[in-house]
Amino acid sequence: MVRYVTKSDEGQILSLMELLIHHRKSVVEEKRKWEEYLRNLDRKIGIYQEGISGT
């Protein structure tokens, strides 16, 4: 089913699109932070593994 966008719908669609774009930017930033946390955690695990193996 094809739905045509009317002029009255345009404003709502633009507002929703702005909201979604803003939310996407927030998600990308959170993802970047969690990837950094994961790298730091992996480094710490590596340090402990080296300590256990004595290398």
Side-chain angles (χ1 to χ4, degrees), residues 1-25:
M1 177 179 185
V2 175
R3 183 177 182 280
Y4 296 97
V5 176
T6 65
K7 279 289 184 192
S8 62
D9 293 334
E10 246 178 57
Q12 289 178 343
I13 291 171
L14 289 173
S15 293
L16 179 58
M17 189 174 68
E18 281 182 32
L19 179 68
L20 291 172
I21 289 169
H22 176 74
H23 182 62
R24 184 184 188 286
K25 289 177 184 178

Side-chain angles (χ1 to χ4, degrees), residues 9 32 49:
D9 293 334
R32 185 198 63 76
Q49 286 174 333

Side-chain angles (χ1 to χ4, degrees), residues 7-49:
K7 279 289 184 192
S8 62
D9 293 334
E10 246 178 57
Q12 289 178 343
I13 291 171
L14 289 173
S15 293
L16 179 58
M17 189 174 68
E18 281 182 32
L19 179 68
L20 291 172
I21 289 169
H22 176 74
H23 182 62
R24 184 184 188 286
K25 289 177 184 178
S26 298
V27 169
V28 168
E29 177 59 24
E30 285 299 312
K31 179 182 177 243
R32 185 198 63 76
K33 283 194 257 182
W34 281 105
E35 287 170 341
E36 183 180 344
Y37 296 155
L38 183 58
R39 281 190 303 275
N40 291 338
L41 183 58
D42 287 341
R43 274 191 222 108
K44 289 177 184 178
I45 290 169
I47 290 169
Y48 284 109
Q49 286 174 333

